[in-house]
Amino acid sequence: PVISRPPDHVDKHFREAWIEARTRAGEYVRGLGTTVDADARPIAEEAWSGEQITQEADKDRRLKRREEIRVLTAEAVAEGWSRKKLANELAKKSKDYARNWDRIANTELQGAYNDGVILDGYRIYGDDTRVARVPEDGACPDCLRLLLDKEGNPRVFTVEEMESNGTNVGRKRNDWLPTSWPIHPNCRCDTVIIPPGLRIQADGRLRP
């Protein structure tokens, strides 16, 4: 679908994130089209292979739920909602209170912000754009392994390197790669653009 531009009041640093949320959020959420009986037992379930859906349950239902996720995630970016508020709004809109909306809100918001930062950096530096993913406090061992070098500093990637890794959706843990999309569900590791001539330290500060 053709997506309108972000609302005028969206901060310039979040405009790309709004666009990413509005066009991509919910893309990998499983079970949006699954139908259940009166006892909440599945009648028809989706099947996936990695990032791709291979068997539909109720395609119209899945697309409707995905659009709700996109609209509300974009609104969360525009209005500065907390992840908790987004999760609550998603539950109310879908009336599906059994789903883990906290995990979805965390992942979709972080994904939109990550991609937004990279696109914003690319508009400034073009092919010279370099990206680092900075582990959050208390990051899991996998994120530390993938995102830090031997000295404990964030690794730096070109956009091409980062995007060629795709996502870790459907991959086994041992096969995970550094990605712009959250490394795993609930991942909140940050994304930083490294301008030409600068490097990034373990504390996240940029230095010549």
Side-chain angles (χ1 to χ4, degrees):
V2 176
I3 304 301
S4 60
R5 69 178 189 178
D8 290 339
H9 70 275
V10 176
D11 186 281
K12 65 179 181 179
H13 299 295
F14 297 129
R15 294 180 72 81
E16 297 291 353
W18 186 96
I19 294 171
E20 286 299 293
R22 191 63 186 82
T23 56
R24 187 175 180 184
E27 188 171 356
Y28 307 121
V29 179
R30 303 295 206 252
L32 294 178
T34 295
T35 56
V36 299
D37 62 18
D39 296 319
R41 294 175 299 194
I43 297 173
E45 294 187 85
E46 297 172 353
W48 291 71
S49 176
E51 298 179 357
Q52 303 299 320
I53 187 167
T54 57
Q55 177 178 306
E56 293 279 8
D58 185 331
K59 183 176 181 179
D60 291 340
R61 177 187 177 92
R62 177 174 63 83
L63 293 178
K64 178 182 178 182
R65 290 286 180 265
R66 191 185 69 182
E67 181 65 9
E68 290 170 354
I69 293 171
R70 292 180 176 183
V71 169
L72 287 172
T73 303
E75 186 171 357
V77 171
E79 304 302 330
W81 290 357
S82 68
R83 289 167 166 81
K84 187 67 175 177
K85 178 174 174 58
L86 174 58
N88 290 338
E89 293 298 325
L90 288 167
K92 287 192 295 184
K93 183 68 175 180
S94 66
K95 297 182 173 56
D96 179 1
Y97 296 98
R99 186 177 293 274
N100 188 345
W101 290 113
D102 284 331
R103 182 173 70 174
I104 292 171
N106 283 339
T107 306
E108 298 297 341
L109 269 181
Q110 191 63 51
Y113 287 134
N114 290 353
D115 286 346
V117 167
I118 292 174
L119 287 169
D120 202 40
Y122 195 82
R123 291 187 185 280
I124 300 172
Y125 301 112
D127 291 337
D128 293 329
T129 306
R130 297 179 303 146
V131 181
R133 299 290 314 282
V134 180
E136 63 175 321
D137 291 340
C140 71
D142 291 294
C143 287
L144 297 178
R145 169 177 61 86
L146 292 169
L147 303 181
L148 299 181
D149 62 22
K150 294 180 180 179
E151 286 72 43
N153 298 312
R155 297 171 61 190
V156 178
F157 308 87
T158 66
V159 173
E160 183 179 5
E161 289 173 330
M162 186 68 75
E163 294 306 312
S164 68
N165 288 339
T167 76
N168 290 317
V169 176
R171 288 177 180 157
K172 295 181 179 179
R173 185 182 297 268
N174 288 341
D175 297 329
W176 285 356
L177 297 171
T179 58
S180 60
W181 191 251
I183 301 295
H184 55 79
N186 274 328
C187 176
R188 295 175 61 178
C189 295
D190 202 4
T191 301
V192 178
I193 295 299
I194 312 300
L198 296 182
R199 56 187 174 85
I200 186 168
Q201 297 181 314
D203 59 8
R205 289 184 293 181
L206 298 176
R207 289 286 185 269

